[in-house]
């Protein structure tokens, strides 16, 4: 039998996204927050769940949660659109702003979902490498984008997986220097201080993405935001599915974003964990000079540079510790004290046995 729906070239070799799921596993592999919501927030979630209008469609504009986001980050609410995670917003930007065969650029190594979305969109991928120390050569990026007629440039800042942040001054120069729509993914910017949210309206070609999945500790709820000028936000709202963000997520998100005090405490707890992990990893590095180096990151994870990271990855995996191997780097999310301790113990033992 010959079927007309035979899998086409762009999907025939794809496999479903496969996160590490085993129970009892120490998860330092997905850059989530290790903190559960505080009791005060859990109580509010219960009240929201009990009072929700389950039989009605949610607000297609996600107005309340966009206003809560706008208040928390001090941007105008009219310039905010919500998505089912920033993952959805990335997909919408690729489908809305790129036509088949047009060029998009990524700055490698970076978040793998960018290239994935480009492939599904049948766009042309221009992969621009970073320097050998993983820093960005802005002049090179501007030159390549011009030469290759790049329509959409997407990158994360701070970067996943390198953890490095590019200074605002460099971002300004980059956005001004290209004709492409620049999608600036600030998924980890809560951990740093180089956000462009304070000045996004000065640019015709800038979209900023933020997520509730990392510093805000709400990965399960799936909520992300895009911030841009009116023209881009209207286009984004026009290409999205009407009810892309469900009513529970909208209400939970508004509750979380309405508690800046709680969020500040959580952020400090995560940063303390990161600092502790980094301090101990550096100490181990001093005992084993030349074996690995730690990039000077500003995120909730560490990026380690070493020869043959697969070996260390497997060693940790055998001890039920999941980290991430990506872009040639070993990426370790900071965890609760006992999780950091378990990682550090295994990490030290790995180098000690030589
Ligand atoms: C985790 C992550 C996201 C995904 O965020 P969601 O809102 O959970 O979809 C986006 N960009 C980068 C760089 C990330 O690391």
């Amino acid at each position: 039998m010959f079927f007309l729906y035979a899998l086409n070239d762009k999907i025939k070799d794809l496999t479903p996204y496969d996160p590490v799921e085993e129970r009892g596993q120490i998860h330092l592999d997905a850059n989530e927050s290790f903190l559960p919501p505080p009791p005060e927030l859990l109580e509010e979630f219960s009240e929201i769940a009990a009072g929700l209008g389950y039989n009605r469609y949610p607000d297609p504009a996600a107005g309340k949660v966009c206003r809560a986001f706008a208040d928390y980050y001090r941007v105008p609410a009219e310039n905010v659109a919500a998505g089912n995670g920033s993952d959805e917003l990335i997909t919408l930007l690729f489908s809305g702003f790129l036509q088949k065969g047009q060029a998009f650029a990524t700055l490698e190594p970076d978040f793998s979902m960018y290239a994935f979305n480009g492939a599904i969109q049948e766009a042309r991928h221009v992969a621009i490498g970073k320097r050998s120390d993983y820093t960005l050569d802005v002049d090179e990026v501007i030159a390549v984008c011009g030469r290759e007629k790049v329509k959409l440039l997407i990158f994360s800042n701070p970067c996943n997986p390198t953890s490095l942040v590019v200074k605002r001054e460099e971002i300004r120069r980059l956005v001004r220097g290209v004709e492409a729509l620049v999608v600036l993914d600030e998924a980890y910017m809560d951990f740093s201080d180089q956000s462009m949210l304070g000045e996004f309206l000065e640019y015709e070609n800038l979209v900023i993405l933020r997520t509730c999945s990392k510093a805000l500790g709400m990965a399960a709820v799936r909520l992300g935001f895009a911030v841009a000028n009116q023209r881009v936000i209207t286009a984004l709202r026009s290409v999205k599915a009407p009810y892309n963000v469900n009513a529970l997520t909208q209400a939970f998100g508004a509750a979380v974003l309405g508690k800046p005090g709680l969020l500040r405490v959580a952020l400090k707890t995560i940063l303390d964990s990161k600092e502790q992990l980094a301090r101990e990893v550096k100490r181990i590095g001093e005992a084993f000079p030349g074996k690995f180096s730690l990039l000077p990151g500003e995120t909730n994870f560490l990026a380690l540079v070493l020869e043959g990271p697969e070996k260390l990855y497997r060693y940790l995996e055998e001890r039920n510790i999941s980290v991430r191997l990506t872009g040639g780097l070993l990426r370790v999310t900071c965890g609760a004290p006992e999780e950091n301790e378990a990682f550090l113990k295994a990490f030290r033992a790995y180098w000690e046995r030589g």
Side-chain angles (χ1 to χ4, degrees):
M1 221 16 211
F2 180 76
F3 295 106
L4 285 175
Y5 75 84
L7 297 186
N8 62 40
D9 289 345
K10 64 183 179 183
I11 67 167
K12 69 179 171 17
D13 296 325
L14 293 182
T15 54
Y17 188 75
D18 183 21
V20 183
E21 266 180 303
E22 285 103 276
R23 285 183 156 273
Q25 195 85 357
I26 293 175
H27 280 288
L28 304 177
D29 57 313
N31 293 347
E32 297 145 324
S33 165
F34 59 89
L35 296 169
E40 171 183 351
L41 204 50
L42 284 178
E43 207 166 298
E44 193 171 338
F45 287 172
S46 301
E47 284 163 24
I48 288 167
L52 202 79
Y54 288 94
N55 53 321
R56 302 295 178 192
Y57 281 111
D59 172 9
K64 195 172 165 206
V65 71
C66 285
R67 280 191 298 279
F69 175 92
D71 289 346
Y72 184 71
Y73 288 104
R74 299 176 196 283
V75 293
E78 70 206 37
N79 296 99
V80 180
N84 183 18
S86 46
D87 263 344
E88 186 201 18
L89 295 166
I90 294 167
T91 301
L92 289 173
L93 286 161
F94 271 90
S95 62
F97 287 86
L98 269 187
Q99 287 173 229
K100 181 175 171 173
Q102 289 183 336
F104 72 100
T106 60
L107 312 179
E108 298 300 325
D110 207 339
F111 192 43
S112 58
M113 292 309 292
Y114 307 150
F116 167 82
N117 275 286
I120 295 288
Q121 190 57 31
E122 301 181 69
R124 181 165 63 88
H125 187 186
V126 178
I128 306 175
K130 288 171 181 154
R131 298 192 186 99
S132 60
D133 63 356
Y134 297 101
T135 59
L136 199 62
D137 183 343
V138 169
D139 295 311
E140 156 94 357
V141 176
I142 292 172
V144 174
C145 285
R147 194 168 65 229
E148 298 284 343
K149 304 220 173 349
V150 166
K151 295 272 194 283
L152 186 149
L153 165 65
I154 185 165
F155 63 100
S156 56
N157 192 41
C159 172
N160 172 14
T162 71
S163 76
L164 299 181
V165 71
V166 178
K167 293 277 187 222
R168 201 153 30 221
E169 197 43 50
E170 290 282 276
I171 301 286
R172 286 183 188 123
R173 208 155 66 75
L174 178 49
V175 178
R176 293 219 165 92
V178 297
E179 287 169 354
L181 178 70
V182 178
V183 182
L184 175 60
D185 185 346
E186 294 191 349
Y188 300 93
M189 194 53 88
D190 294 291
F191 304 112
S192 183
D193 57 3
Q194 298 298 312
S195 179
M196 292 289 282
L197 280 180
E199 57 189 82
F200 74 93
L201 277 174
E202 293 170 31
Y203 308 87
E204 297 264 9
N205 60 327
L206 177 65
V207 189
I208 300 174
L209 299 179
R210 302 290 294 227
T211 176
C212 293
S213 301
K214 308 285 157 63
L216 274 52
M218 299 286 285
V221 158
R222 312 303 305 129
L223 182 60
F225 296 93
V227 181
N229 65 52
Q230 210 58 63
R231 200 162 141 245
V232 172
I233 283 296
T234 303
L236 204 50
R237 286 186 183 141
S238 310
V239 294
K240 79 179 186 65
Y243 306 115
N244 59 326
V245 182
N246 75 71
L248 267 179
T249 291
Q250 292 190 29
F252 284 10
V256 172
L257 288 161
K259 311 258 176 328
L262 291 182
L263 290 174
R264 263 194 296 277
V265 173
L267 184 60
K268 174 152 192 329
T269 308
I270 298 168
L271 283 172
D272 286 349
S273 161
K274 201 286 289 282
E275 290 307 323
Q276 189 253 349
L277 193 62
R279 215 168 32 241
E280 293 302 320
V281 163
K282 275 185 208 147
R283 189 166 299 165
I284 295 168
E286 283 159 18
F288 298 94
K291 293 291 188 190
F292 64 88
S293 62
L294 173 63
L295 295 181
E298 302 195 12
T299 57
N300 63 337
F301 61 87
L302 306 186
L304 295 170
V305 185
L306 67 156
E307 293 283 329
E310 301 83 10
K311 224 175 111 199
L312 173 56
Y313 176 84
R314 276 196 302 276
Y315 181 87
L316 294 168
E317 197 179 35
E318 282 159 15
R319 282 147 191 83
N320 294 326
I321 299 167
S322 308
V323 296
R324 196 63 207 275
L325 201 54
T326 173
L329 297 162
L330 195 84
R331 200 191 70 189
V332 186
T333 312
C334 72
E338 62 278 11
E339 295 173 321
N340 284 357
E341 212 37 65
F343 167 78
L344 289 165
K345 190 172 160 228
F347 186 65
R348 196 179 295 114
Y350 177 81
W351 298 111
E352 276 167 358
R353 52 159 229 162

